[in-house]
Amino acid sequence: MAQSTKRIKSISFFLLLISFFCLLGFGQSNQPQTSSPLMPPAASTISIDVDNIYYLILAVTSFFFFLVVFLLIYFIIKYRAKKPGEEGINFHGHMGLEIVWTIVPAVIFIIIAIYSAEILQKIDNVPADAMVINVTGEQFIWHFEYAADGVKSDKIMHVPLNKPIVLNIEAKDVIHSFWVPAFRIKQDALPHEQRETWFQARLTGEFPIRCAELCGPGHSQMLGTVIVETETQFAAWIQEEKEKANAQENALSDSAKRGLDVIQHQGCMGCHTIDGSKLVGPTWLGLYGKTETLDDGSQVKVDEAYILESIRDPNAKVVNAFPAIMPTFGPEKISDDQIKDVLEYIESLGTTKSK
Amino acid sequence: MQQGYALDNSHGHHKLTWRDWIFTTNHKQIGILYIGTAFFFFLVGGVLALLMRVKLAATGTDILGITSEKYNELITLHGTVMIFMWVMPVFSGFINFIVPLMIGAKDMAFPRLNALSYWLLISGSLLMMSGFVLGGLPDAGWTMYAPWSILSPGIGSDTWILGVQVLGFSSIFGGVNFIVTILRMRTTGMTFHRMPLFVWASFVTAALLVLAIPALTVAVFLVMFDRHLGTTFFSGAGGDALLYQNLFWFFGHPEVYILILPAFGIVSEILPVFARKPIFGYKAIAYSSASIGAIGFFVWAHHMFTSGMPASFRIPFMVSTMIVGVPTAVKIFNWTATLWRGKLYFKAPMVWALGFITLFLIGGLSGIFLASVPFDIHVQDTYFVVAHFHYVLFGGAIFGIFAGLYFWLPKMFGKMYSDRMAKAHFWLTFIGFNMTFFPMHQAGVLGMARRYADHGPEFSDINLFMTIGAFVMGLAQLIFIWNMVWMFRKGPVAGDNPWNSKTLEWQLSSPPPAENFETPPVITEGPYEYGLPYGPRVAGAAAGGGEQDHDFDRGISR
Ligand SMILES: [Cu+2]
Ligand SMILES: [Cu+2]
């Protein structure tokens, strides 16, 4: 009897010791850290909460891991058979114990779930005044568009410190996943559908962006960088980019500029692109002068008359491999004057020389 | 495989020819065919894994000419082979061989359907591998996510889809057969609550096969339509890429249990025999298998927390995932408690079973991290996930498989392997396994994304270390192969019941006679009545040719 109480004492001491270490680890973690060997830099506000969940679960699971392993080793040493032919006891189980070890994990899981749900609430709660960046994934590159300023960039995303930022994420071709480990955010980019996520950076610096969904042979090269900078630095960068873009736009004639307005107003860009990629309809890049194959197999050289017809009566000639779904834009939508501007703009996108 | 496998039936000793093997409808031969075939694919899948590890050992180079395109093919085939052509068929093999014996049946309920299932496995595997000959291997990962699987050029996705369909039918037919066998073929007195736990696990697994695989069938057929018939289920402007993921994971999560429940069953068989003590909480283990199977159908979206599914669904799926963790925890406690006050014999099956508990424990615990949505958002599609499912499927399923092999090989072939080699196999695999997969947790948390053909220099040391671990594991499997060669050529006669086990299969000769039991045995008590000085539980089993062995003071001698 005395021996068994001694054993129970030493076991409970051991368990206490384990729990102590686990709790110590957890207590440590409660201070926001900028660098820890266990985690990437906690560069966003939410990352501190996420890390705390990690440390909490780490403490709990470590406790159970050491508990079970301790018991296993203890039993292995204690109950090792010493000679052939020994039998254990004919003991089938214990209802009370069974109930305890059903309820204890259940309660712990509930606590973890509640805690996680609280943090998730924060993650899903997008601040209303956030700055918007549209993120597009395309095999194998990330594009960024700063909604308020119309500025665009590839691979590198600049963001100001301490400001909430919403990302509207979408893909052009297949599923990609936008992941910034330092921000603990990840959101799949779906084709034809937008999803949002947000963050607020709390550290300046450069942090890697990775694609986290297998998207083809270049998947592991689909990398990028977030540059978190002070608000003034960020404003300066935006300014610089705007000037660059303006310089480009100034290259357009007045008529082409008016054409661009019409096009934006009529929503043509929902189906057409100007960068060579295919959306619902064909791209306009280098449309002029190109020889287009129609769905009846015949060929037609793209000129002003063809483009005009494509807008006024789109189904008269339908481009091969595209559905005949382009709406008709009659004079009540685009006046004859405006259509000239539109043609001018499309022409400005480059001419293809066909034989 | 033919080596000396004999049918010890009443008509005398009859050596099986290759014809007998091809046209067999006997559950024991089919079981062995399944296991042998599956083991071949284990080696194939293992070589694919080693090639992946070679590629990842250094950054910035294509060692052995493994480009990122080829790397994507490697990961796709490795996952597919290991899941559909190794773990699933090897368990079908165990169920085939063991379950009819355990429940006192003569054979499976539908012996010819059983043979069909096996040959469908072969056909499906050939289709799956046909890309090697036809030129064009699948490269969209074992998950075949649309729309990349639809847009991916070449015939890779097509061979994968056709192969998986045929393998799926093989599994569904197998599942139906197992269910009917367990429901209808039990001998007198073999009530549900007297069934060995491996039979319980097999029953739940079979139910999952039949209920889950059709979702995969539908999903990949629609991918096929999108690829070739111009439909837009998952692609194009009207397509819904998330629909594919929902269908896939509705299959995919139960699939995880298809891959692990039989291992639970195997370990639950081995522990009582080598602890000489009844399993702790028989009903708790049996019912937890059943509830894992049922709840397992309501957790699938935990694979999709970052997919862009409705945010409001994430909390319910987190909660259901936590709930499914409870019966899993219960099992671990029950197994541990089985050792308490037993008399433990550390033969190879027991050592592997204890390894299983330890590693599966880690895999289960890392699952709790992943269930928590905020943390999962960070580590989804990283090496943390890779670590998690290898602890579950290698540390769990494969350690369970080896435990089961070492346990039942003497019954299957009547010969004994070398226990020392089996333990060397264990320790090398155990060490190599942990070297390879434990660091992956940390790598994932630090930002190492999954399915990357190349990682930045910040991860090069850890990758090299993991590659070394993988080769240690590879080496360990050579010991196993050598041990098998040794067993077939020189292994001593195992005897009918070398472990002094109480379940029915051990009451027969080794290998068992063709018709199993000449007269059906009558069962009068549960399967794990250890710890009693005497107590026959099988009346009439001796008729089957196996000598009755209740000489318990012999214990485990070999
Ligand atoms: Cu990618
Ligand atoms: Cu799952």
Side-chain angles (χ1 to χ4, degrees), chain A residues 110-145:
Chain A
I110 290 172
I111 295 172
I112 294 177
I114 292 176
Y115 186 33
S116 303
E118 252 165 43
I119 306 293
L120 188 60
Q121 213 91 85
K122 273 198 202 174
I123 294 176
D124 286 343
N125 200 345
V126 184
D129 57 341
M131 179 184 126
V132 179
I133 302 179
N134 297 321
V135 180
T136 310
E138 181 183 8
Q139 283 177 327
F140 301 97
I141 187 166
W142 291 108
H143 305 286
F144 305 100
E145 189 196 340

Side-chain angles (χ1 to χ4, degrees), chain B residues 478-490:
Chain B
L478 297 181
I479 303 181
F480 175 75
I481 295 173
W482 178 244
N483 199 0
M484 289 303 100
V485 172
W486 183 87
M487 177 185 90
F488 283 119
R489 290 174 55 187
K490 298 196 204 142

